[in-house]
């Protein structure tokens, strides 16, 4: 029962954040481009269609085309977050690209061996764990070079989050509990190059 509650809570958190990101991106990116298109249209209405206005029309078409592509991308991303066919690796890839665009943190994703599905419930909980860890790490302001490694073996799946930084403190009681509820273990290795390791046995 507690595990099911944790899965539901993770689903709600992921969905809420997805909607918040879409709202922000629609306002900051798509909204601004549409405003620029409106200005060009107003200019076009006030003057004849000479060569200069034709250039305006071309710019409007380019802006509208870019807007449509952005909307399609947002919809695809939303589908990925909310789908019952949730894929951990592709969702993490999307999340890391988003972080790279909005922060100066050097972060990358690596996938080792052939991917397989852990099941919707485990994958969405793992996604939420990694998402929280990444946010906690880069928000400290003194962490650099974050590397997320997904390792798929026949009997064990692991997520390694490696990074560099000093005096890094992460409150991870909830993340420990979530990992243990799935039958896995959560380990923080505090060395020069620090690592957070999440291991989950694969049950065939």
């Amino acid at each position: 029962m507690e595990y099911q509650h944790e899965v539901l809570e993770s689903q709600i958190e992921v969905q809420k954040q997805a909607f918040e990101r879409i709202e922000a991106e629609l306002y900051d990116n798509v909204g601004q481009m549409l405003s620029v298109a409106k200005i060009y249209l107003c200019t076009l209405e006030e003057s004849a269609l000479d060569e200069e206005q034709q250039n305006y029309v071309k710019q409007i078409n380019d802006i509208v085309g870019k807007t449509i592509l952005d909307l399609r991308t947002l919809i695809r991303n939303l589908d990925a977050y909310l789908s019952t066919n949730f894929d951990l690796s592709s969702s993490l890839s999307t999340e890391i690209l988003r972080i790279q665009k909005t922060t100066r943190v050097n972060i990358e994703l690596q996938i080792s061996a052939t991917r397989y599905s852990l099941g919707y419930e485990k994958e969405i909980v793992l996604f939420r764990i990694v998402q929280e860890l990444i946010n906690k790490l880069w928000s400290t302001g003194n962490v650099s070079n974050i590397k997320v490694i997904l390792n798929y073996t026949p009997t064990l799946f692991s997520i390694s989050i490696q990074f560099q930084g000093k005096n890094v403190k992460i409150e991870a009681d909830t993340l420990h509990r979530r990992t243990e509820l799935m039958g896995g273990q959560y380990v923080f290795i505090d060395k020069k190059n620090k690592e957070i390791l999440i291991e989950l046995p694969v049950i065939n």
Side-chain angles (χ1 to χ4, degrees), residues 67-79:
T67 303
I68 293 172
L69 289 175
D70 285 347
L71 283 173
R72 288 176 178 172
T73 299
L74 287 172
I75 292 171
R76 283 198 300 269
N77 290 344
L78 180 61
D79 287 340

Side-chain angles (χ1 to χ4, degrees), residues 101-163:
K101 290 180 180 179
T102 56
T103 71
R104 295 183 179 180
V105 175
N106 181 19
I107 180 170
E108 63 176 301
L109 174 68
Q110 292 184 2
I111 299 174
S112 176
T114 302
R115 293 182 298 175
Y116 50 75
S117 174
L118 297 165
Y120 172 73
E121 294 180 348
K122 289 181 179 178
E123 294 212 357
I124 197 164
V125 173
L126 286 169
F127 172 80
R128 183 58 186 153
I129 290 173
V130 177
Q131 187 183 48
E132 283 194 39
L133 282 171
I134 292 174
N135 288 336
K136 287 176 184 292
L137 287 173
W138 69 257
S139 63
T140 63
N142 60 348
V143 168
S144 61
N145 300 323
I146 301 174
K147 182 185 293 185
V148 181
I149 303 172
L150 307 184
N151 188 28
Y152 295 82
T153 71
T155 58
L156 186 70
F157 170 77
S158 67
I159 301 174
S160 171
I161 303 175
Q162 303 170 3
F163 60 95

Side-chain angles (χ1 to χ4, degrees), residues 1-11 121 124-125 173-183:
M1 181 64 69
E2 187 177 5
Y3 176 63
Q4 294 298 325
H5 173 76
E6 199 64 54
V7 171
L8 179 59
E9 185 177 80
S10 295
Q11 287 177 305
E121 294 180 348
I124 197 164
V125 173
D173 290 344
T174 302
L175 306 183
H176 271 282
R177 181 169 56 84
R178 289 179 179 179
T179 305
E180 289 172 355
L181 285 171
M182 293 184 290

